[in-house]
Amino acid sequence: MKETAMHWFSIGVALLAAVGIILVGGMYLFNPRAATQSFGLPLPEAGANIAWWLRLKGVRDVVSGLVVLALVIWGTPRLLGIVLMIEAMIPAGDMSLVLTAKGSTATALGVHGLTAGLMILAAIPLIMGLA
């Protein structure tokens, strides 16, 4: 397969998304209250178990990033594109939730929306066989 600029863009976005969400997940695992401040919603009310609930997000974030990394290494471009397209629903959903809850519009659009958009832009050429 001839590796084009589109190929490297798509792979680069996939790697950036994977490593980024693994790092975010790690923040939720090791310092959940601090990590929550960057999400765009008010901090949850204090409680004995709140940190454990926040850590659940961390586990899921790390795993979703590892799935993308595994596909970059061992998968086909088309399968990577399909998974990127599916996983783009996570930041798109996060964006929708933050906007609906009247959280930070800047974070909703600038972090969650931009992430979803880049993932979709990277997924399309992979799915179509253009990358």
Side-chain angles (χ1 to χ4, degrees), residues 28-105:
Y28 272 92
L29 288 170
F30 297 109
N31 195 352
R33 301 274 306 166
T36 304
Q37 293 175 337
S38 68
F39 192 80
L41 291 173
L43 290 173
E45 293 180 24
N49 292 318
I50 195 67
W52 296 111
W53 285 103
L54 294 173
R55 285 183 178 103
L56 290 173
K57 178 185 177 339
V59 170
R60 286 156 177 75
D61 285 351
V62 169
V63 171
S64 67
L66 290 174
V67 168
V68 173
L69 279 181
L71 289 172
V72 167
I73 296 168
W74 296 295
T76 64
R78 181 173 167 81
L79 184 56
L80 173 61
I82 291 167
V83 169
L84 278 178
M85 186 68 77
I86 292 167
E87 285 200 8
M89 290 189 287
I90 297 169
D94 290 348
M95 178 187 69
S96 298
L97 291 170
V98 171
L99 290 172
T100 301
K102 300 195 183 342
S104 168
T105 301

Side-chain angles (χ1 to χ4, degrees), residues 5-22:
M6 185 59 66
H7 170 82
W8 289 114
F9 167 78
S10 295
I11 297 301
V13 168
L15 288 171
L16 182 64
V19 171
I21 200 61
I22 288 169

